[in-house]
């Protein structure tokens, strides 16, 4: 008789690992969202005011984006059906890339399916074994993972600390040179940081990396559409466009659609089309998403964008006033307002009380941020009404009673 096939231990092993997560207070689960209408969101049958989204200009629900997506569905179908280099390089993708390059004031841009895929494709296309990637300690996970994937040596500098960056770049410069002049050194930072809402000292970082002959990649995920002339971002606002080798962004936040991009020189774009594996070996972005993103950029870069950036700015000022009178001192003055609570459990319970008061604002805790740095992360949108902000202020005060 045949031996009985041993039962797979798969479920038992996963069960044990998940149990460990639960015991460590790190269990996460999804919230099922029924409907979204601007900043109002239905969760578990309850209508909440959403202070957790990244739709900073309120463009996700704009009819121009829906109309552009519908037109692309009619013209190109639901799928791009192939990678860009095979047969998927649709007119909508090229139009989107031209819009991104125009917005950024750069010669070229390459669109990816997500910002995450943009990072994962780009860093390994630019550096590899023998090179060095120097990351701000708080850069997004996708840049950390991409740097690891590249095979380069990783170094981390203290958050927004140019002296520490300079120290590391001096260490890099002291490494032995190869015959081709390497190692290449790529510095990676965000402009407006996603969890802290603070801004990198980009002008000083540029001066520093130029001094040491390093390259710089700036992730403008939270600044594109929000900051600078036409919403071009912090690099453009500071007049550094020609001095930053690689700009990155997402089309899923202020632009109101979905996708990611890299912008820079023509040679950078050519390199990515030839070497970025998430570009080469992945079906091209969904036509409807690319068309919606192009419409989102058109709006963000025009008078409608200026109007919405103005509204966002006054919402930030009003929210800051509410938050301060509730006894919090936010560490940023951007559309990302982290309220530092400290203990993981305290942040979770404040988030729960806000939820009871009709406010959706998540507790952000380890491993997204360091242990003991748990916080409520409020995000503001041009679409928030004065009534939304007043409610937020009232809900934050309730915590003390
Ligand atoms: C959201 C985000 C990304 C990833 O962009 P997606 O389009 O959501 O994949 C990258 N970097 C930062 C800083 C982000 O906040």
């Amino acid at each position: 008789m045949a031996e009985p096939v041993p039962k797979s231990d798969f479920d038992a092993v996963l069960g044990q690992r998940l149990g460990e997560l639960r015991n460590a207070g790190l269990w996460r689960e999804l919230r099922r969202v029924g409907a979204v209408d601007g900043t109002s969101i239905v969760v578990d049958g309850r209508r909440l005011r959403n202070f957790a989204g990244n739709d900073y200009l309120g463009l996700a629900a704009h009819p121009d984006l829906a109309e552009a997506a519908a037109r692309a569905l009619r013209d190109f179908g639901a799928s791009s059906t192939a990678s860009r280099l095979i047969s998927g390089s649709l007119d909508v993708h090229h139009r989107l890339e031209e819009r991104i390059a125009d917005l950024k004031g750069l010669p070229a841009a390459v669109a990816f399916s997500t910002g995450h895929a943009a990072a994962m494709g780009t860093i390994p296309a630019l550096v590899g074994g023998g090179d060095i990637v120097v990351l701000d300690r708080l850069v997004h996970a996708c840049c950390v993972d991409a740097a690891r994937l590249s095979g380069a040596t990783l170094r981390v500098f203290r958050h927004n600390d140019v002296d520490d960056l300079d120290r590391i770049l001096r260490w890099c410069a002291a490494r032995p040179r190869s015959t081709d002049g390497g190692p290449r050194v790529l510095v990676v930072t965000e402009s407006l940081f996603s969890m802290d809402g603070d801004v990198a000292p980009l002008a000083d970082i540029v001066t520093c990396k130029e001094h040491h002959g390093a390259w710089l990649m700036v992730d403008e995920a939270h600044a594109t559409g929000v900051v600078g002339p036409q919403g071009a971002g912090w690099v453009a606002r500071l007049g550094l466009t020609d001095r930053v080798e690689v700009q990155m962004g997402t089309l899923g936040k202020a632009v109101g659609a979905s996708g990611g991009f890299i912008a820079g020189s023509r040679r950078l774009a050519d390199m990515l089309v030839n070497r970025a594996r998430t570009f080469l070996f992945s079906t091209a972005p969904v036509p409807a998403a690319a068309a919606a993103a192009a419409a989102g950029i058109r709006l963000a870069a025009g008078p409608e964008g200026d109007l919405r950036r103005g509204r966002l700015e006054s919402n930030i000022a009003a929210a800051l006033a509410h938050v301060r009178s509730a006894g919090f001192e936010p560490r940023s003055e951007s559309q990302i307002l982290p309220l530092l609570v400290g203990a993981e459990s305290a942040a979770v319970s404040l988030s729960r009380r806000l939820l009871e008061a009709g406010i959706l604002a998540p507790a952000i805790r380890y491993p997204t941020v360091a242990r003991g740095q748990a916080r409520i992360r409020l995000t503001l949108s041009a679409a928030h009404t004065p009534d939304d902000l007043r409610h937020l202020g009232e809900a934050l005060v309730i915590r003390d009673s």
Side-chain angles (χ1 to χ4, degrees):
M1 226 176 85
E3 293 277 313
V5 179
K7 190 167 169 292
S8 167
D9 63 355
F10 187 71
D11 250 25
V13 170
L14 265 52
Q16 193 204 329
R17 290 180 190 165
L18 288 168
E20 284 161 13
L21 277 182
R22 230 184 242 284
N23 292 339
L26 299 175
W27 179 257
R28 287 151 188 253
E29 57 194 2
L30 297 173
R31 242 191 279 266
R32 187 163 177 154
V33 174
V36 181
D37 177 17
T39 59
S40 134
I41 185 167
V42 175
V43 181
D44 297 332
R46 278 185 70 212
R47 189 164 286 279
L48 303 170
R49 295 169 201 266
N50 189 5
F51 284 92
N54 303 310
D55 183 17
Y56 301 130
L57 296 182
L59 289 179
H62 195 287
D64 283 12
L65 273 71
E67 182 50 42
R71 213 175 314 122
L73 273 168
R74 282 195 301 271
D75 292 349
F76 299 101
S79 170
S80 299
T81 75
S83 70
R84 292 284 299 278
L85 282 171
I86 303 298
S87 64
S89 199
L90 306 178
D91 184 60
V92 278
H93 299 124
H94 291 268
R95 207 174 331 127
L96 170 61
E97 289 169 342
E98 287 157 15
R99 287 251 166 94
I100 295 167
D102 276 357
L103 173 71
K104 292 283 182 180
L106 282 164
V110 177
F112 290 77
S113 288
T114 64
H116 193 283
M120 292 303 280
T122 299
I123 294 179
L126 299 176
V127 290
D131 296 326
I132 306 168
V133 180
V134 186
L135 305 148
D136 182 288
R137 184 175 296 285
L138 295 189
V139 292
H140 193 266
C142 64
C143 289
V144 178
D145 294 349
R148 286 203 183 114
L149 181 67
S150 74
T153 299
L154 264 56
R155 296 295 310 267
V156 172
F157 65 100
R158 283 196 296 269
H159 178 51
N160 284 347
D161 185 337
V162 182
D163 290 336
D164 200 36
L165 173 63
D166 184 66
R167 183 182 62 78
I168 293 172
L169 292 183
R170 267 186 278 125
W171 173 87
C172 297
R175 311 270 286 187
R177 301 270 126 193
S178 64
T179 46
D180 79 339
R184 307 293 164 205
V185 180
L186 176 67
V187 177
V188 182
T189 186
E190 288 174 33
S191 55
L192 176 58
F193 276 85
S194 61
M195 286 300 140
D196 289 53
D198 57 351
V199 178
L202 286 177
D204 291 343
I205 288 175
V206 165
T207 305
C208 180
K209 69 93 187 174
E210 285 176 348
H211 180 75
H212 293 286
W215 300 338
L216 177 62
M217 171 166 170
V218 179
D219 181 351
E220 295 247 48
H222 295 274
T224 301
V226 176
V227 174
Q230 300 184 295
W234 268 108
V235 171
R237 171 151 166 192
L238 297 173
L240 299 171
T241 300
D242 296 333
R243 297 167 68 190
V244 173
E245 283 80 3
V246 186
Q247 289 193 47
M248 166 182 159
T250 176
L251 304 166
K253 289 171 179 152
V255 174
S258 181
F261 67 84
I262 297 290
S265 66
R266 187 67 251 163
R267 285 201 173 137
L268 169 62
D270 289 345
M271 183 56 78
L272 297 180
V273 167
N274 280 276
R275 282 276 184 262
R277 294 173 68 84
T278 54
F279 181 91
L280 290 166
F281 302 114
S282 186
T283 302
V286 181
I297 288 178
R298 193 183 55 76
L299 285 170
E304 182 69 32
D306 289 335
L307 192 78
R308 286 170 186 249
R309 279 184 287 279
R311 225 180 280 150
L312 177 59
E313 202 174 309
S314 48
N315 282 351
I316 293 169
L320 278 168
H322 284 303
V323 159
R324 286 189 176 123
S325 65
F328 288 98
E329 187 44 51
R331 296 194 301 182
S332 73
E333 302 202 336
S334 69
Q335 81 277 17
I336 299 170
L337 285 186
L339 308 183
L340 199 66
V341 179
E344 279 67 26
S345 57
V348 171
S349 84
L350 175 53
S351 173
R352 198 174 307 128
R353 266 174 294 174
L354 287 170
L355 197 66
E356 281 158 16
I359 302 282
L360 183 62
I364 306 284
R365 49 199 163 127
Y366 180 84
T368 309
V369 295
R371 277 188 212 275
Q373 298 252 320
R375 63 198 65 185
I376 300 293
R377 178 173 176 272
L378 299 173
T379 50
L380 301 167
S381 168
H384 280 122
T385 62
D387 194 47
D388 289 331
L389 297 169
R390 197 169 41 73
H391 261 83
L392 171 68
E394 288 169 5
L396 284 169
V397 173
I398 292 171
R399 106 194 190 281
D400 287 322
S401 57

